[in-house]
Amino acid sequence: MIPIESIQITAERLMAKAAIEIPEDYLAGIEQAAASEEGDLSSFVLRAMLENYRAAKEDRRAMCGDTGCPRWYVKMGNETRIAGGPVALEEALRCATAKATAEIPLRPNRVHPLWRTDHDNNVGIGAPEIEYGFEPGGSWIDLITVHKGGLFGTDYRMLFPADGIPGIKRFFLDSLVAFGKRGLACQPAIVGIGLGGSKDTCMVLGKRAACLRVVGDRNPDPKIAALEEELTELGNSIGMGAMGFVGSSMVIDSHIEVGYCHTGGMQMSVHAFCLSSRRACARIYADGRVEERTDPQWFTDYQRRESVRWELPNPGVKSA
Amino acid sequence: MGTAEPRRQVRLSTKPSFDDLAALRLGDVVFLDGLLYTGREGVYMRALEEKQPLPLDLPAESAANFHCAPAAVEHADGSIEMGAVTATASFRFSKWIEPWLRLSGAQLIVGKGGMSPEDYRTKFVPHGAVYLTTVGYGTGALLGRGIKTVKGVYWRKELGLAQAMWVIEAENMGPFLVASDCDGNCLFERENAKISAGLKAVYEGTKPAVLKRFGETDDRSDELI
């Protein structure tokens, strides 16, 4: 049984870590981009960002003044039990979001869409979002917080089989060029691409691809993995860099996630994470141990399963 | 790291002289000293549409309007803690900027991503104002270091923490980049023109989507296929 206090304390720590510390994988990607960027203005911007990451850590200050929209991804093993149950879990995550907003401090971004009511704590109707995943086996809980920027860099389009890979490339370019101008997408970013599903799941897949996979991670389907690398190269060949200045750094990495879709369609979504790719995660075990990490490890074989049944793990055996 | 040469750096008062502004070149790196205030849609609507009197004497106290909502918290003892500050995209405030420049006498508009070349030429230049963009985006922690003190917050109750008018004393606060100059030249327009020249080649081998969307045709009576 996982104590609810442990969930709330860990969640508060993760809120601060996400806001203040740039994840190592993305930092390494930006360092690499800064080393090869030839555009003088773009290069200046990347060096300023590297200095900003250092300043944030030294001062224990948020990297970015725009908190984005803090949200939670929660994953549990099949045997996980939480003291107080799922309602207590959600209350703990809402409490941690509100408390961290005041203590770090974070900008209270979340308002009512019509009445602009602001509770000054990033909590409100439907906020923070809490999404769930499950894994066969295990009695742990993974808490993952992502503070994704809110306004630019995301788009959706209904493509069709006739559009094919050239259509995917075109919409990918359209999204980067449109939101890259003046740097509205806060690039260079990890870009997530959702393919298939239905409109809503396509958006969910693309967002998770951007926010829950680390730089360098490849899709297990070798042809999709090759397309990921091709899209990264394509994005960096636009001639644009940070802030929409002349340069060659638009995409730190591309991640594609797919879902089975209607036989006539090929939905596509594009999501740019940002220069402050804020994510932090921890696993809490039933015995109270807490292990922090920066790789959400969300997309497991089980999350991407395509079979009717999943055999519960026997020692050393896992099948799809 | 790249081959970039160091950019020209300028320390600038938030109540700059005409000569200070005239010396700025597109792409100069600016660090600000003095009082600046945040003001965005909430402040503009309250001051310009609801005609509420300004809570501070502008531009006597400050000629620098920051399109920003800070990550700030008010402690129980009334003290204010400001963590990171990052600008918000300025193009959305185009409809208020001319009357705001007239009312406030602002000479420095500081924000994210600049405004349109037309706004610079027809609104900024006649009022002697230039635009400074934040860098990144955004260097929230670096800008946070440049806050010497938070002098006050106005319209806090009416507009909420994010939209309120925060008055900040800046000391060597930056970096910012000069995105429009006194003649109305636009840094982003210049960069876009260079990038656009190569776009055709980048798109080679792709083709327009099978199903069109409005915007790809200007005629709303068009079929989209």
Side-chain angles (χ1 to χ4, degrees):
Chain A
M1 185 79 78
I2 295 177
I4 201 70
E5 298 76 23
S6 173
I7 289 177
Q8 187 170 330
I9 291 166
T10 305
E12 286 167 18
R13 280 181 50 80
L14 291 176
M15 286 290 292
K17 192 175 173 189
I20 294 168
E21 297 178 28
I22 196 76
E24 300 97 3
D25 60 286
Y26 180 74
L27 174 62
I30 289 292
E31 281 169 343
Q32 207 180 331
S36 62
E37 179 57 79
E38 300 281 334
D40 63 343
L41 280 161
S42 292
S43 171
F44 169 80
V45 175
L46 293 177
R47 281 179 282 129
M49 289 311 302
L50 290 172
E51 199 185 333
N52 187 64
Y53 302 143
R54 283 192 291 273
K57 266 190 200 172
E58 278 171 26
D59 299 2
R60 299 306 295 167
R61 198 194 286 274
M63 287 181 270
C64 183
D66 186 337
T67 300
C69 293
R71 61 163 54 209
W72 292 95
Y73 295 93
V74 176
K75 204 193 256 184
M76 285 176 255
N78 200 34
E79 282 78 49
T80 304
R81 297 293 176 270
I82 297 160
V87 171
L89 165 67
E90 296 201 329
E91 184 178 296
L93 295 179
R94 289 169 82 89
C95 286
T97 304
K99 203 166 163 220
T101 297
E103 284 181 358
I104 296 171
L106 301 177
R107 190 167 100 188
N109 259 5
R110 294 285 196 139
V111 301
H112 189 286
L114 288 171
W115 323 131
R116 315 312 286 182
T117 316
D118 192 340
H119 298 158
D120 286 341
N121 61 8
N122 283 312
V123 176
I125 299 172
E129 294 85 353
I130 305 174
E131 297 179 40
Y132 297 92
F134 302 95
E135 292 287 330
S139 50
W140 42 262
I141 182 169
D142 274 357
L143 302 179
I144 304 164
T145 188
V146 169
H147 306 176
K148 190 181 177 300
L151 301 182
F152 309 104
T154 296
D155 206 354
Y156 166 86
R157 183 155 196 160
M158 176 59 109
L159 299 176
F160 298 90
D163 285 307
I165 302 288
I168 290 171
K169 288 182 182 169
R170 190 180 181 96
F171 185 55
F172 178 76
L173 284 173
D174 279 349
S175 305
L176 292 183
V177 171
F179 297 114
K181 287 182 185 185
R182 295 177 182 241
L184 291 182
C186 298
Q187 73 270 12
I190 301 172
V191 181
I193 296 116
L195 289 175
S198 53
K199 184 171 189 174
D200 56 343
T201 46
C202 181
M203 293 298 284
V204 167
L205 283 170
K207 185 160 199 157
R208 290 179 177 179
C211 301
L212 300 179
R213 286 176 56 191
V214 298
V215 175
D217 181 46
R218 293 277 69 86
N219 191 290
D221 180 326
K223 281 195 255 178
I224 295 177
L227 184 58
E228 289 177 338
E229 285 170 3
E230 202 179 337
L231 290 180
T232 299
E233 201 179 314
L234 181 65
N236 289 331
S237 75
I238 292 171
M240 192 187 283
M243 287 179 75
F245 295 140
V246 171
S248 59
S249 319
M250 283 297 282
V251 183
I252 295 299
D253 206 354
S254 305
H255 297 312
I256 300 172
E257 287 300 323
V258 300
Y260 275 36
C261 60
H262 187 286
T263 184
M266 187 176 66
Q267 298 83 347
M268 175 166 172
S269 70
V270 180
H271 302 251
F273 211 172
C274 64
L275 273 162
S276 304
S277 298
R278 291 163 291 201
R279 62 168 135 77
C281 19
R283 177 165 292 189
I284 307 173
Y285 293 91
D287 64 8
R289 271 180 307 132
V290 181
E291 282 173 8
E292 287 188 20
R293 59 179 202 266
T294 53
D295 183 350
Q297 297 167 7
W298 182 269
F299 287 101
T300 57
D301 292 345
Y302 183 74
Q303 299 302 319
R304 293 182 175 123
R305 69 196 181 278
E306 51 183 318
S307 59
V308 174
R309 290 179 195 278
W310 181 270
E311 286 175 36
L312 283 173
N314 295 317
V317 181
K318 204 180 202 185
S319 73
Chain B
M1 302 229 173
T3 54
E5 288 174 22
R7 307 199 67 75
R8 202 166 77 127
Q9 296 210 355
V10 183
R11 290 279 290 257
L12 190 67
S13 163
T14 56
K15 291 194 284 176
S17 71
F18 177 80
D19 288 345
D20 290 340
L21 293 182
L24 295 177
R25 300 283 168 265
L26 294 185
D28 281 354
V29 182
V30 172
F31 292 82
L32 291 174
D33 295 293
L35 291 189
L36 74 164
Y37 56 90
T38 67
R40 47 187 296 176
E41 59 268 56
V43 166
Y44 294 156
M45 283 191 265
R46 193 164 166 79
L48 300 169
E49 292 171 14
E50 295 167 24
K51 311 277 186 206
Q52 294 294 320
L54 291 175
L56 67 168
D57 185 10
L58 299 179
E61 294 190 59
S62 171
N65 172 196
F66 195 3
H67 290 159
C68 161
V73 64
E74 291 169 305
H75 294 299
D77 64 359
S79 65
I80 293 165
E81 180 189 342
M82 204 172 272
V85 285
T86 309
T88 197
S90 301
F91 72 89
R92 297 171 289 158
F93 310 136
S94 177
K95 68 183 253 197
W96 295 294
I97 202 69
E98 201 280 331
W100 178 255
L101 290 173
R102 191 156 11 104
L103 179 73
S104 69
Q107 290 171 287
L108 301 172
I109 299 293
V110 185
K112 173 180 175 181
M115 303 188 71
S116 73
E118 197 203 338
D119 279 344
Y120 294 147
R121 288 189 280 266
T122 62
K123 298 166 185 171
F124 279 62
V125 171
H127 289 283
V130 302
Y131 186 97
L132 304 179
T133 180
T134 51
V135 173
Y137 311 88
T139 54
L142 290 179
L143 296 179
R145 279 183 172 178
I147 298 171
K148 200 170 165 195
T149 51
V150 179
K151 286 287 191 185
V153 53
Y154 300 101
W155 294 345
R156 157 77 184 91
K157 219 172 70 198
E158 296 85 346
L159 299 177
L161 270 180
Q163 293 280 344
M165 201 169 186
W166 296 85
V167 182
I168 297 164
E169 188 177 3
E171 186 177 19
N172 200 21
M173 185 183 194
F176 303 102
L177 289 171
V178 176
S180 88
D181 62 18
C182 281
D183 299 323
N185 295 306
C186 172
L187 178 68
F188 289 108
E189 185 182 41
R190 189 188 78 186
E191 294 289 303
N192 277 339
K194 290 183 202 165
I195 293 163
S196 297
L199 282 182
K200 205 177 160 201
V202 177
Y203 273 81
E204 214 169 296
T206 71
K207 52 183 179 156
V210 169
L211 180 69
K212 304 280 178 298
R213 302 197 289 198
F214 285 125
E216 294 169 344
T217 159
D218 292 328
D219 186 348
R220 284 294 186 268
S221 67
D222 271 359
E223 283 199 279
L224 300 180
I225 50 176

